[in-house]
Amino acid sequence: MELWHIVVLAIIQGLTEFLPISSSAHLILPSQLLGWPDQGLAFDVAVHVGTLTAVVWYFRRVVSRLALAWVSDTVRARIGSDSGLAWAIIAATVPAGLAGVLLNDFIETELRSSLVIALSTIGFGLMLWWADAAGRQARGIEGLRFKDALIIGLAQALALIPGTSRSGITMTAALFLGFNRDSAARFSFLLSIPLIAAAGLLKTLELVELGEAADWRSIALGASLSFVSAVVCIHLFLTFLERLGLMPYVIYRLLLGLLLLVMLW
């Protein structure tokens, strides 16, 4: 890949991984619509490492607190508020993990098209608008129950469809369950950690099996840029979420989806 392709794709990954607008859609589109070469597995691993490091670093105090509580309470055979949230994250990760293992090949061959991206971008964008408008937004993350985690986890499995947006669909589910925007976003970000880690590990194993030569310059640059852009994205998103709401992202999704449909006509 050319240098500017690396820069653009890494920044896109960092920004869209946590915004409710679908990172997979934005990474697929340059190759399909602009004729850019496929970024390759090594680059995918690099940007996954960058975004994973970003979300862990940004929520480092919360992550360390939940991890310590989970270990301590598990040893003592009890569940507290922090260890309960850690278990909720684990439970919500299972449906998407199973769906990924069972359906990955089908999705890779049948659903990674511009038409699917356009329709899912519009459809799930409208669903996000509905959830934001109709949700009670009265619950905080501390009130999240095991049942809530499973429902959000089942919704997260839909993010395997390109154009859905993992953060978008998990926030949609949380808003429908009555959580406020900030809690929906924070749980979505925490929930991304095990899933991004698993996706990065699978891609790494696949890369090792293929034995592809690594372009370390591209890998280092991609990981660094995706890390920086992801940290900035998370911070600004949470800072302005209550002030701006989710409508700007809904409008963006609708415009993007319509543009894709026009280009495919």
Side-chain angles (χ1 to χ4, degrees), residues 187-252:
F187 185 68
S188 174
F189 292 154
L190 291 172
L191 189 55
S192 73
I193 294 174
L195 206 62
I196 297 176
L201 178 60
L202 288 175
K203 288 179 180 293
T204 300
L205 294 175
E206 187 177 349
L207 180 64
V208 171
E209 290 178 0
L210 292 174
E212 291 184 0
D215 181 351
W216 293 109
R217 184 196 66 163
S218 298
I219 289 174
L221 183 59
S224 300
L225 289 175
S226 62
F227 169 81
V228 172
S229 57
V231 170
V232 172
C233 173
I234 295 171
H235 178 71
L236 293 179
F237 182 78
L238 291 175
T239 300
F240 294 104
L241 180 58
E242 289 301 328
R243 187 183 308 175
L244 299 178
L246 293 169
M247 185 54 67
Y249 307 102
V250 173
I251 294 173
Y252 174 82

Side-chain angles (χ1 to χ4, degrees), residues 19-263:
L19 293 179
I21 56 176
S22 177
S23 62
S24 59
H26 286 77
L27 289 175
I28 290 172
L29 291 176
S31 62
Q32 292 200 357
L33 299 180
L34 301 177
W36 288 13
D38 184 85
Q39 58 264 30
L41 270 175
F43 185 80
D44 281 346
V45 170
V47 294
H48 273 82
V49 169
T51 52
L52 175 62
T53 306
V55 69
V56 171
W57 183 84
Y58 192 88
F59 292 102
R60 58 194 180 280
R61 293 184 181 86
V62 176
V63 170
S64 60
R65 191 182 76 234
L66 295 183
L68 290 173
W70 182 80
V71 172
S72 175
D73 286 357
T74 300
V75 170
R76 300 177 184 180
R78 68 180 188 183
I79 298 179
S81 58
D82 285 341
S83 59
L85 181 56
W87 277 115
I89 292 171
I90 294 171
T93 302
V94 172
L98 290 176
V101 171
L102 297 175
L103 301 175
N104 183 66
D105 291 341
F106 171 78
I107 291 169
E108 288 289 331
T109 57
E110 302 296 331
L111 297 182
R112 293 178 73 86
S113 70
S114 297
L115 180 59
V116 170
I117 292 171
L119 295 177
S120 58
T121 296
I122 293 172
F124 288 109
L126 291 173
M127 192 176 293
L128 178 63
W129 166 77
W130 183 18
D132 193 39
R136 293 183 293 110
Q137 300 192 24
R139 302 175 62 190
I141 195 171
E142 67 280 352
L144 189 138
R145 302 187 296 266
F146 189 76
K147 179 178 72 173
D148 300 318
L150 285 180
I151 293 173
I152 296 172
L154 289 170
Q156 181 173 235
L158 294 173
L160 292 170
I161 304 171
T164 301
S165 170
R166 190 210 59 81
S167 60
I169 197 63
T170 51
M171 281 190 270
T172 296
L175 289 168
F176 272 130
L177 290 169
F179 289 92
N180 59 51
R181 290 170 181 156
D182 185 72
S183 294
R186 289 179 182 275
F187 185 68
S188 174
F189 292 154
L190 291 172
L191 189 55
S192 73
I193 294 174
L195 206 62
I196 297 176
L201 178 60
L202 288 175
K203 288 179 180 293
T204 300
L205 294 175
E206 187 177 349
L207 180 64
V208 171
E209 290 178 0
L210 292 174
E212 291 184 0
D215 181 351
W216 293 109
R217 184 196 66 163
S218 298
I219 289 174
L221 183 59
S224 300
L225 289 175
S226 62
F227 169 81
V228 172
S229 57
V231 170
V232 172
C233 173
I234 295 171
H235 178 71
L236 293 179
F237 182 78
L238 291 175
T239 300
F240 294 104
L241 180 58
E242 289 301 328
R243 187 183 308 175
L244 299 178
L246 293 169
M247 185 54 67
Y249 307 102
V250 173
I251 294 173
Y252 174 82
R253 291 182 66 120
L254 296 180
L255 292 176
L256 176 61
L258 291 173
L259 175 61
L260 291 175
L261 290 176
V262 170
M263 294 179 69

